[in-house]
Amino acid sequence: MTLSDHDIRAAAEDLFRAETECRQIGLLSLKHPQMTLDDAYAVQAELVRRKRAAGLGVIGWKIGLTSRAMQQALDITTPDSGILLSDMLFADGAVVPQGRFIQPRIEAEIAFVMKAPLAGKSVTRDQVLAATDFVTPSLEILDTRILRADPATKATRKIQDTVADNAANAGIVLGVQRHAPDAFDLRRVGVIVRRCGVVEETGLGAGVLDDPVTGILWLIHRLAEYGQGIAPGEVLLSGSFIRPIEAPPGSRFDADFGDFGHVTLNFA
């Protein structure tokens, strides 16, 4: 790590205030060129601590940047992760009020809801399946409290910016369908995502590290490096297998996962 405790606290406070005031701040990677991924996760942890102090609870985790295309876009070879908080959960078919988010986007994912704890670098795929209560179709709402590009230098966000900003977490929508984790070949679960009736993206579960379960394994193994793990009842978003879709006001999203389920979301 290269950032001081003061810098970490200041960055987290700036992000907290930006979200509260529905505005964006400048690139942290531009302000702190030496910023490492460990620094970014430290800012994320401080941001989440600040949110929990404001009364929010932790409901799970998200895994991001799992597709090859997204990793190439950021010139990285690893996913990232963020923490899901209690104010992020929306019901299937909900209407997101205007002004709730800054520049929302939508991704389609398979969510795992856990029934048993998991921790440690030796956790296996079979153990993930055994600890999963059910899987369900989901949508993730992304938002960014950091500019996507600096207007002066044209520099774009780096993974350090995204991680510090809690992996661009904003909201989640879970489908009402619940399936045993071995009821489907999750690699072959597909989705057709329509915005206002127009097909914008399609994808397969294999787009997530060749298997959504691999995304969960990656998260558990990463958390083990910090002495953390997964708790029963937590929701784990395994990673998107479509590109993010912009969600301007008036957008209506329909995610058709075939036999796996269906999720809808609207923006006022």
Side-chain angles (χ1 to χ4, degrees), residues 95-99 104 195-197 246-253 265-268:
V95 177
V96 179
Q98 285 194 32
R195 182 180 62 192
C196 299
E246 301 289 344
S251 297
R252 304 186 315 276
F253 286 92
L265 182 67
N266 306 288
F267 288 79

Side-chain angles (χ1 to χ4, degrees), residues 42 51-52 54 62 112 127 133-134 150 159 162 186 188 197:
K51 289 187 173 190
R52 295 191 70 178
K62 70 153 282 186
F112 290 63
Q127 288 175 314
D133 189 10
F134 61 88
D150 179 69
I159 189 172
T162 301
L186 299 180
R188 298 185 182 279

Side-chain angles (χ1 to χ4, degrees), residues 109-214:
E109 313 196 15
I110 294 172
F112 290 63
V113 180
M114 311 309 290
K115 63 182 179 183
L118 282 176
K121 285 201 167 187
S122 62
V123 170
T124 65
R125 185 181 190 279
D126 287 343
Q127 288 175 314
V128 169
L129 295 176
T132 300
D133 189 10
F134 61 88
V135 291
T136 185
S138 69
L139 291 175
E140 181 182 3
I141 307 170
L142 303 176
D143 200 12
T144 175
R145 281 65 60 171
I146 295 177
L147 292 170
R148 296 186 190 178
D150 179 69
T153 65
K154 309 304 179 185
T156 57
R157 282 185 305 168
K158 296 182 178 179
I159 189 172
Q160 290 90 336
D161 298 294
T162 301
V163 167
D165 193 19
N166 198 19
N169 272 343
I172 63 169
V173 186
L174 300 180
V176 298
Q177 302 82 6
R178 298 183 174 190
H179 309 288
D182 59 355
F184 286 80
D185 179 353
L186 299 180
R187 296 177 66 252
R188 298 185 182 279
V189 169
V191 68
I192 303 168
V193 183
R194 294 178 175 87
R195 182 180 62 192
C196 299
V198 177
V199 174
E200 294 286 351
E201 283 290 332
T202 63
L204 283 176
V208 178
L209 302 173
D210 194 38
D211 184 349
V213 181
T214 303

